[in-house]
Amino acid sequence: MDAYDAPLNAAVVHAREWLSSLGERSVPPRADAEQIGRAVGGPLNEDGEDAAAVVERLAREAEPGLMAMPSGRFYGWVIGGTLPAALGADWLVSAWDQNAAMRFPTPAVAALEEAAGRWVVELLGLPQGSDVGFVTGATMANFTGLAAARRHVLAKHGWDFDRDGLAGAPRIRVLVGQERHDTLDLALRYLGLGAPTPVAADAQGRIRLDALEEALRQGDGPVIVCLQAGNVHSGAFDPVGAAARLAHRHGAWVHVDGAFGLWAAASPRTRHHLDGLAAADSWATDAHKTLNVPYDCGIVIVRDPSALRAAMGVRASYLIEPAGPGGAADPLEKVPELSRRARGVPVWAALRSLGRNGVADLVDRLAGHARALAEGIAAIDGAEVLNDVVFTQVCATFGDDARTAAVTEALLRDGTAWMSGSRWRGRSVLRVSVSNWSTSDGDVAASLEALRRAARAAA
């Protein structure tokens, strides 16, 4: 243990300093990757260094290049913070150093992940008995759910994917909303399924049921329908229940990409946006985005455990198969990885620390702060909020594209808050994503004041 004392103590000191700085520090990094590279790069030393000195140097040299992503004033992309219990659990996961692939040699982490998975299924109102896998993020959660879908729909059409692969297989049509997230296309590319068929969406980015029905009628081969729970610009939700029922009438597998929006189902105030969610066949989310556990932690949920395990599972003579009751599966049967950290353990800690009511309150607070930011932005001269603020996303313009870009640049130079630019429906926008448990009313007020300064500077 003596070998660990000094480096762990150094890490604790610097972690505390970092966390305590978040309330006041400027959000953007003070140095770019090239500058940090000059400090930490160069030739590798011939002889080793003291472990504590390495940690000290790491903290000192990296600090200027850190974005204050855990700050309550960071609204870029869709990036959450980390709940205290989840951070503490994540430190233990590293210290325990368990390979979470197999149930038999790592019973503690297997049991914790299984409990966390059951709680997630219950909180989101999904079918009991669904299988849950913990992956790196929403991209791999989509990949995993769609891998189960690929095998399933081909089997329904008489094709043995495990034996014959994709070559010569019936073409799978994948129908997606016009405004799906690009990582869905990426997952389909990884799976060898090619480009999906876009289906028209309404002004808020929701898939149109009439267009989906027309698309479904245009073929009779294997088909997968991908729906969206939380548009990355508007926060809007596809009509998942009605769309799933329609898709099932045509024999389709229904997958829901809910990277951040799936958690709306955990709150009585927002779950109406996801009426009929349980009718789908697979679901994907990222626990870092709305639940606020540390990177990385995507979650895939599949209604039929046999579909997931058949797509992901592996058998080898050196692996010890679980002998537990109730069809317990090895974690490796639910995800693409054989070697991985126990990333489901911080999910267990986050849910245990919040409880059912705390998760609902977290969701409600994030959505409430988004509404407050939208109201404040709308009151700024020349600003216009373009979306119906139904969840945690806000998109605004400040006149033409040039002025919107100028306001965004001025805000980022100011450093008080970080809101990323984007393009939506043919216009440059300032995009706000409220994803951090620590965002307070004070953070919202300070962020709006910074945005007012930026708007004046860009006038």
Side-chain angles (χ1 to χ4, degrees):
M1 183 59 211
D2 290 349
Y4 290 102
D5 282 343
L8 285 179
N9 288 338
V12 168
V13 168
H14 287 287
R16 286 180 175 274
E17 288 178 357
W18 165 250
L19 294 170
S20 65
S21 76
L22 295 173
E24 302 298 330
R25 73 181 291 135
S26 179
V27 177
R30 302 191 307 277
D32 61 26
E34 287 70 26
Q35 292 170 307
I36 301 298
R38 287 192 289 272
V40 303
L44 180 63
N45 41 298
E46 293 295 330
D47 299 313
E49 296 180 11
D50 174 75
V54 169
V55 174
E56 291 282 355
R57 178 172 182 174
L58 169 66
R60 181 180 68 253
E61 303 292 7
E63 194 274 341
L66 298 177
M67 171 84 79
M69 287 182 177
S71 165
R73 291 169 282 108
F74 180 84
Y75 311 101
W77 302 283
V78 188
I79 293 177
T82 300
L83 290 159
L87 177 59
D90 199 59
W91 285 9
L92 280 177
V93 166
S94 291
W96 292 342
D97 196 25
Q98 306 283 286
N99 182 348
M102 292 182 289
R103 202 170 188 268
F104 181 83
T106 58
V109 297
L112 287 161
E113 288 196 339
E114 287 165 8
R118 287 194 300 272
W119 292 346
V120 169
V121 167
E122 291 169 8
L123 282 168
L124 301 180
L126 301 180
Q128 293 301 304
S130 296
D131 237 354
V132 180
F134 294 94
V135 293
T136 53
T139 300
M140 289 312 294
N142 282 322
F143 169 90
T144 305
L146 290 168
R150 178 183 63 181
R151 186 182 183 280
H152 178 84
V153 298
L154 285 175
K156 282 179 62 177
H157 284 77
W159 187 263
D160 188 335
F161 174 79
D162 295 342
R163 184 188 65 204
D164 299 324
L166 276 180
R171 177 162 178 81
I172 300 172
R173 289 191 308 138
V174 182
L175 306 181
V176 299
Q178 188 75 47
E179 290 201 19
R180 79 281 183 188
H181 196 279
D182 290 337
T183 54
L184 202 57
D185 296 52
L186 183 64
L188 294 170
R189 193 164 80 233
Y190 290 163
L191 289 163
L193 297 180
T197 300
V199 177
D202 67 14
Q204 294 296 311
R206 295 175 291 244
I207 197 168
R208 283 174 33 197
L209 292 174
D210 61 333
L212 176 60
E213 183 167 22
E214 177 63 26
L216 285 164
R217 286 175 176 167
Q218 290 176 3
D220 57 4
V223 61
I224 299 169
V225 172
C226 296
L227 303 174
Q228 182 171 235
N231 181 284
V232 75
H233 286 102
S234 70
F237 299 82
D238 285 345
V240 291
R245 290 189 294 272
L246 176 60
H248 283 155
R249 287 202 294 271
H250 290 266
W253 176 291
V254 178
H255 174 77
V256 180
D257 173 16
F260 65 92
L262 208 64
W263 295 96
S267 166
R269 294 186 180 181
T270 53
R271 67 169 58 116
H272 64 278
H273 295 302
L274 289 167
D275 283 345
L277 179 66
D281 299 293
S282 57
W283 305 262
T285 190
D286 189 334
H288 180 74
K289 294 186 185 301
T290 302
L291 186 61
N292 279 222
V293 304
Y295 276 117
D296 50 28
C297 192
I299 303 175
V300 60
I301 306 163
V302 178
R303 173 192 295 273
D304 179 1
S306 65
L308 178 60
R309 298 175 193 182
M312 290 291 117
V314 63
R315 294 289 181 269
S317 60
Y318 65 90
L319 299 176
I320 304 173
E321 295 187 19
D330 270 328
L332 63 84
E333 295 184 73
K334 308 174 188 182
V335 299
E337 301 157 308
L338 218 59
S339 297
R340 69 169 179 88
R341 66 188 281 107
R343 58 174 64 97
V345 173
V347 175
W348 181 92
L351 294 177
R352 191 76 184 184
S353 71
L354 292 171
R356 186 181 297 274
N357 292 335
V359 175
D361 180 64
L362 171 61
V363 170
D364 293 342
R365 280 190 289 112
L366 297 177
H369 288 319
R371 290 192 299 271
L373 283 162
E375 291 167 5
I377 292 169
I380 296 173
D381 252 4
E384 179 188 3
V385 174
L386 300 182
N387 64 308
D388 299 333
V389 183
V390 297
F391 197 47
T392 57
Q393 311 300 300
V394 183
C395 270
T397 62
F398 294 83
D400 60 22
D401 285 0
R403 183 162 188 263
T404 298
V407 171
T408 303
E409 290 167 9
L411 177 72
L412 299 186
R413 283 196 306 271
D414 178 276
T416 301
W418 183 280
M419 302 174 184
S420 51
S422 186
R423 286 193 68 81
W424 186 46
R425 305 191 74 82
R427 301 179 69 178
S428 289
V429 295
L430 178 73
R431 192 172 71 83
V432 182
S433 176
V434 186
S435 306
N436 196 313
W437 72 276
S438 69
T439 298
S440 65
D441 293 342
D443 288 323
V444 169
S447 302
L448 287 170
E449 182 54 39
L451 192 51
R452 285 189 283 269
R453 290 194 299 270
R456 289 194 295 270

